[in-house]
Amino acid sequence: MCTLTGRLTIDALSWPRGLGTLCRSFGRPQAVRCLAPCPSHTTTGNMTDKKMDEIENLMEDLNVEDKDDDSKDKDESGKDTKEEPVGEEAEEEEEEEGLQWTADTIAQYILEKDLRNIIVMSGAGVSTSAGLPDFRSKGTGLYEQLQDLDVPYPEAVFDLDYLQTKPEAFYAVAKALWPGEFKPTPAHYFIKKLNDDGRLLRCYTQNIDGLEDLTGLPRDKCFHAHGNFRSAFCTKCYQNYKPEAIKPQVMAGEVPRCDCEGIIKPTIVFFGENLPEAFFPSVKRDFPKCDLLIVMGTSLVVHPFASLVTAVPPGVPRLLINNDRVGEGLGLFKDAKRDVHLDGKIDDRCIELAKGLGYEL
């Protein structure tokens, strides 16, 4: 049974509170299709009320903050009714206000609070030092490099309809990103060390390169929200394939096809496809427990993944390790005591954090 069926109009659909707005960068409606195809697979009609209710209930269960609602601490006259902290609580807030957040002080905070439910959200930026391009960096991003493929717009390479029209574009990218050609970065090993130390609850990654696996991080500790190359299937008859069966064709610059002539596609989530079926249940289990959210190497523009930054409990610190400060539209950095940006090279910052925690990368 499909997790989501139907067609979403991105510019018109109001996504449930807390999940933010679906990515508007495509400028046109996107089909929502199941990741694991099945006989009931469809791309017509509207999202069911039942499914929308399930997602809304999920975000309510997570107690997601409404970033646009500033009225909850005001009375009917508009006066601020928020209680001021007193005693030890006030002293703790004063200490945090005077604290300059650096890699060292963040590591100190992790140790002093003995954080054991850290969630990491990672994007393509954690893999660039391994030689993999990210998607949106000016001059070096994958989307700029795709201009030679004569695609109508960069995201078309990961569009299901365009795959059927010009599959060569996607498989040129698949050849460049295929696992086994690259090694993990210090950022990947930092995530592994957090887990070895009993501090990582889970890593949620947008990446399809599989570099987390190569560090030895247990597979159940990393959720590949946008899929990976571990399996493949025919987009016509849905026959399953092992990646080894299609790799020779991909490496030779060919489009792998099934006996039925359908295109064989890795289980990578394309734009318009639904995330893996286990995504929302996993989020529902993990994010209420989170005691520190580390976000690194992502531009936070692809939803619903990006909106997970709003799913941690109120007051839980959120650390962004990125060259650029992103996520302000999602409510990041409204609270300077809670949200921290460590800019610069991601590997350098992870090495500094690891050192403060007593890890060797």
Side-chain angles (χ1 to χ4, degrees):
M1 188 173 181
C2 295
T3 305
L4 288 179
T5 60
R7 185 172 292 274
L8 300 183
T9 303
I10 292 173
D11 287 334
L13 180 68
S14 175
W15 199 246
R17 176 177 297 175
L19 271 181
T21 304
L22 281 172
C23 183
R24 299 172 182 269
S25 64
F26 319 124
R28 62 189 182 87
Q30 298 291 318
V32 174
R33 312 180 188 186
C34 60
L35 178 62
C38 60
S40 63
H41 181 91
T42 179
T43 59
T44 60
N46 297 317
M47 180 184 285
T48 64
D49 291 338
K50 179 180 179 181
K51 176 53 63 177
M52 290 298 291
D53 288 343
E54 287 178 7
I55 298 174
E56 288 175 347
N57 291 337
L58 166 65
M59 301 317 290
E60 287 177 5
D61 289 344
L62 291 174
N63 293 318
V64 170
E65 300 165 276
D66 183 358
K67 303 300 178 185
D68 297 322
D69 185 6
D70 294 324
S71 62
K72 59 186 177 182
D73 293 323
K74 298 181 184 299
D75 60 18
E76 293 181 357
S77 66
K79 293 182 179 180
D80 195 349
T81 59
K82 186 177 180 179
E83 295 183 5
E84 294 295 328
V86 295
E88 292 183 2
E89 184 179 350
E91 291 177 4
E92 288 180 3
E93 287 203 6
E94 287 178 4
E95 288 178 5
E96 290 183 2
E97 284 178 357
L99 184 62
Q100 293 296 316
W101 290 109
T102 64
D104 286 340
T105 56
I106 292 167
Q108 179 183 349
Y109 178 85
I110 292 172
L111 293 173
E112 288 182 351
K113 300 292 185 180
D114 194 24
L115 303 184
R116 296 285 171 179
N117 288 299
I118 297 173
I119 291 178
V120 175
M121 292 173 57
S122 67
V126 303
S127 298
T128 53
S129 65
L132 281 156
D134 65 6
F135 289 92
R136 293 177 174 81
S137 291
K138 292 182 179 180
T140 60
L142 184 61
Y143 286 158
E144 287 201 15
Q145 296 180 32
L146 294 175
Q147 294 177 0
D148 294 339
L149 296 177
D150 194 30
V151 295
Y153 53 95
E155 292 87 351
V157 174
F158 295 99
D159 180 90
L160 286 168
D161 295 331
Y162 192 71
L163 177 71
Q164 301 300 326
T165 304
K166 190 175 181 180
E168 296 82 6
F170 166 71
Y171 284 100
V173 174
K175 180 180 178 180
L177 298 180
W178 198 275
E181 304 300 318
F182 305 94
K183 296 181 179 180
T185 67
H188 293 107
Y189 281 108
F190 173 65
I191 298 171
K192 168 67 160 49
K193 289 291 186 179
L194 284 174
N195 186 67
D196 292 346
D197 198 22
R199 300 189 182 278
L200 180 72
L201 178 56
R202 207 166 324 276
C203 172
Y204 285 78
T205 185
Q206 294 173 290
N207 297 338
I208 59 176
D209 52 45
L211 293 183
E212 298 84 7
D213 294 344
L214 297 183
T215 66
L217 182 69
R219 286 192 173 185
D220 66 340
K221 283 292 188 173
C222 185
F223 196 106
H224 294 264
H226 293 170
N228 49 50
F229 287 93
R230 291 178 190 164
S231 60
F233 64 92
C234 172
T235 57
K236 185 177 180 179
C237 72
Y238 309 131
Q239 171 71 36
N240 291 321
Y241 286 86
K242 293 183 178 180
E244 296 81 10
I246 65 172
K247 182 178 179 180
Q249 293 170 280
V250 175
M251 294 296 112
E254 302 171 358
V255 176
R257 290 188 178 273
C258 180
D259 292 339
C260 73
E261 295 302 317
I263 297 170
I264 302 174
K265 169 186 170 293
T267 49
I268 296 168
V269 180
F270 276 34
F271 289 118
E273 281 190 301
N274 184 37
L275 298 186
E277 186 175 358
F279 177 75
F280 284 114
S282 184
V283 168
K284 185 175 181 179
R285 286 192 304 270
D286 288 347
F287 275 73
K289 304 174 187 175
C290 180
D291 50 22
L292 171 65
L293 180 66
I294 300 177
V295 182
M296 53 186 181
T298 172
S299 54
L300 290 177
V301 297
V302 178
H303 294 263
F305 182 89
S307 295
L308 293 183
V309 298
T310 69
V312 296
V316 167
R318 299 178 294 192
L319 169 62
L320 174 69
I321 307 176
N322 241 23
N323 277 327
D324 301 318
R325 182 161 153 155
V326 298
E328 290 177 308
L330 295 168
L332 286 177
F333 307 112
K334 282 188 175 181
D335 186 348
K337 294 180 294 183
R338 175 189 186 189
D339 298 329
V340 183
H341 176 210
L342 292 183
D343 60 2
K345 294 182 178 180
I346 296 172
D347 286 342
D348 291 346
R349 296 295 172 260
C350 286
I351 290 171
E352 291 169 1
L353 284 168
K355 183 179 179 181
L357 291 168
Y359 306 157
E360 289 188 10
L361 297 184

